Amino acid sequence: DVKVTQSSRYLVKRTGEKVFLECVQDMDHENMFWYRQDPGLGLRLIYFSYDVKMKEKGDIPEGYSVSREKKERFSLILESASTNQTSMYLCASSFRDRVVGYTFGSGTRLTVV
Amino acid sequence: AQKITQTQPGMFVQEKEAVTLDCTYDTSDPSYGLFWYKQPSSGEMIFLIYQGSYDQQNATEGRYSLNFQKARKSANLVISASQLGDSAMYFCAMSDYYSSASKIIFGSGTRLSIRP
């Protein structure tokens, strides 16, 4: 069964902490994406990557960075967590030119206190 | 810039009735794709249906159909004979094809509740 796995389902972190959200896919997908989901705002794209070591900013990259050292793994980094980054974070992956077949992880609900 | 608009934050529908979820989009690209996803309370994102901008016919998948009106830039989802299990958040989304990484942008969602 193909999978996108997010390392944590729930996380609670303190303001100012450095936070790592990990995403691993086993489908040999070139593209990987990080979204955050907030009520009334839907899913907003933070960053995406179309190849190892490549990254592009999405619509709301401020306060976030990413790392893609291996094809199967895409990390989202909150350098100094703030309360307004409390949200549901969803990882997704796809083949480069095939948006049908976008596969999502189950999400990480991050609370920053 | 591309944009997806869903104007219905929530809807209540009686079981077995048909329901239409509204979606309008804006893009200057001639090639794009339109999607609908379902997110039940468990949180997983479930792909429902896809329509390409050059597809002549409206897409259908079982009880789901996409009412594609290109000139009006609308892509409404129609669910026939609604069931209790259809209660969920529904997201309209669109993609751009000709970029380094085809990516999807999402609307704000519509929460559909089916009454027994």
Side-chain angles (χ1 to χ4, degrees), chain A residues 9 35 37 40 42 56 99 102, chain B residues 35 37 39 42 100 102 104 108:
Chain A
R9 182 75 170 134
Y35 292 86
Q37 181 179 358
E56 289 197 25
V99 287
Y102 228 66
Chain B
F35 305 77
Y37 283 83
Q39 187 182 46
S42 57
S100 55
S102 296
I104 297 179
S108 55

Side-chain angles (χ1 to χ4, degrees), chain B residues 16 44 51 84 87 94-95 102 109 111 113:
Chain B
K16 297 181 185 176
E44 63 195 295
Q51 177 91 38
L84 295 178
S87 294
M94 72 182 298
S95 66
S102 296
R111 183 170 295 283
S113 299

Side-chain angles (χ1 to χ4, degrees), chain B residues 14-55:
Chain B
Q14 204 68 30
E15 190 179 9
K16 297 181 185 176
E17 287 184 353
V19 57
T20 298
L21 303 182
D22 294 340
C23 174
T24 58
Y25 62 91
D26 191 24
T27 182
S28 56
D29 294 330
S31 296
Y32 51 89
L34 295 159
F35 305 77
W36 279 91
Y37 283 83
K38 173 183 178 181
Q39 187 182 46
S41 56
S42 57
E44 63 195 295
M45 292 289 283
I46 301 169
F47 165 75
L48 294 179
I49 197 166
Y50 167 80
Q51 177 91 38
S53 59
Y54 292 120
D55 294 342

Side-chain angles (χ1 to χ4, degrees), chain A residues 9 31 33 35 37 40-43 45 48 50 56 59 90 96-97 99-100 102 104, chain B residues 35 37 39 42-43 45 47 50 91 95 97 99-108:
Chain A
R9 182 75 170 134
N31 299 343
F33 308 85
Y35 292 86
Q37 181 179 358
L41 297 177
L43 281 72
L45 183 62
F48 63 99
Y50 55 91
E56 289 197 25
D59 298 319
L90 288 163
R96 177 159 294 144
D97 295 317
V99 287
V100 181
Y102 228 66
F104 282 88
Chain B
F35 305 77
Y37 283 83
Q39 187 182 46
S42 57
M45 292 289 283
F47 165 75
Y50 167 80
F91 292 99
S95 66
Y97 273 115
S99 62
S100 55
S102 296
K103 60 187 185 296
I104 297 179
I105 62 166
F106 290 82
S108 55

Side-chain angles (χ1 to χ4, degrees), chain B residues 19-21 36 48-49 64-67 75-79 90:
Chain B
V19 57
T20 298
L21 303 182
W36 279 91
L48 294 179
I49 197 166
Y64 304 107
S65 60
L66 197 153
N67 185 0
N76 297 341
L77 177 71
V78 179
I79 306 174
Y90 288 82

